[in-house]
Amino acid sequence: MLWISLHFPLFPLESFLPASARSEPWAVTDGACVAVCNGQARVRGIRPGMSLATACALAPALNHRQRDPAAEAAALGQIAAWAVQFTPAVSLQPPRGLLLEVEGSLRLFGGIGRILDAVKRGVADMGFTLSVACAPTAAAAWLLARGGAERVFAGRRAIQEAISPLPVRVLDCDAQALETLAAIGVRSLGDLL
């Protein structure tokens, strides 16, 4: 099997933000904290995890809104429906991703490079920022895409070498689990392995 993982790092923001507003500083909050922000907000010193009050103090013109899980789920569903053109095996990875099993589609599309190029182009045309990785297992592809390793990984050794330096934040863990791992000195997947 060969899996392509699509991770949308700015999805809570891009799932609602019109292209015309991308020149302004925007942030999406989760409770009282910034969950994600665009480049214009980052230039003003805003970072994910920061309190909304601090973010507004740094950038008084900051546009912000609460996360909308229903809108994010609907947008993810639309992208998944679009991705079916590459394979019928599309799996949702809420809240920010998709997995595509493409082994059976390689000959039809002329290889993995062409599929990846078409996926990247299509997602960009839809207005989404994408991190993509390809690996023989769904879990490896997902971790690599979340870690920003935009490559095709074929062998088990290459996968282990690629995921070892990734920070543990790429795991689907809650904040308490991440704090516990940090407390015992686990900073990377290699430490965890």
Side-chain angles (χ1 to χ4, degrees), residues 136 151 153-164:
R151 292 185 12 216
F153 295 87
R156 185 176 298 267
R157 183 179 306 274
I159 292 170
Q160 188 165 351
E161 288 174 7
I163 67 170
S164 288

Side-chain angles (χ1 to χ4, degrees), residues 105-178:
S105 302
L106 294 175
R107 285 184 52 202
L108 177 64
F109 287 94
I112 191 63
R114 287 193 176 165
I115 294 173
L116 288 170
D117 288 344
V119 166
K120 289 177 188 177
R121 190 173 42 256
V123 168
D125 289 347
M126 288 185 268
F128 294 100
T129 302
L130 176 67
S131 177
V132 61
C134 185
T137 68
W142 182 239
L143 290 172
L144 292 163
R146 287 185 59 146
E150 296 199 7
R151 292 185 12 216
V152 176
F153 295 87
R156 185 176 298 267
R157 183 179 306 274
I159 292 170
Q160 188 165 351
E161 288 174 7
I163 67 170
S164 288
L166 296 176
V168 292
R169 68 174 166 68
V170 302
L171 297 172
D172 288 322
C173 296
D174 60 30
Q176 184 178 2
L178 293 175

Side-chain angles (χ1 to χ4, degrees), residues 6-165:
L6 309 179
H7 175 64
F8 305 100
L10 301 177
F11 200 64
L13 185 66
E14 293 172 339
S15 63
F16 80 88
L17 188 62
S20 61
R22 293 185 187 199
S23 61
E24 302 172 13
W26 270 93
V28 172
T29 57
D30 196 356
C33 292
V34 173
V36 65
C37 59
N38 67 1
Q40 289 71 23
R42 284 185 175 274
V43 167
R44 291 165 174 82
I46 298 166
R47 300 286 180 262
M50 178 180 283
S51 75
L52 180 58
T54 302
C56 288
L58 288 172
L62 178 69
N63 298 292
H64 59 87
R65 68 179 277 180
Q66 279 287 347
R67 283 189 74 182
D68 185 348
E72 292 173 34
L76 193 59
Q78 290 173 344
I79 298 170
W82 169 85
V84 171
Q85 68 183 299
F86 302 106
T87 176
V90 175
S91 302
L92 297 173
Q93 294 295 302
R96 298 185 188 188
L98 297 174
L99 285 167
L100 288 66
E101 199 289 304
V102 296
E103 184 78 31
S105 302
L106 294 175
R107 285 184 52 202
L108 177 64
F109 287 94
I112 191 63
R114 287 193 176 165
I115 294 173
L116 288 170
D117 288 344
V119 166
K120 289 177 188 177
R121 190 173 42 256
V123 168
D125 289 347
M126 288 185 268
F128 294 100
T129 302
L130 176 67
S131 177
V132 61
C134 185
T137 68
W142 182 239
L143 290 172
L144 292 163
R146 287 185 59 146
E150 296 199 7
R151 292 185 12 216
V152 176
F153 295 87
R156 185 176 298 267
R157 183 179 306 274
I159 292 170
Q160 188 165 351
E161 288 174 7
I163 67 170
S164 288

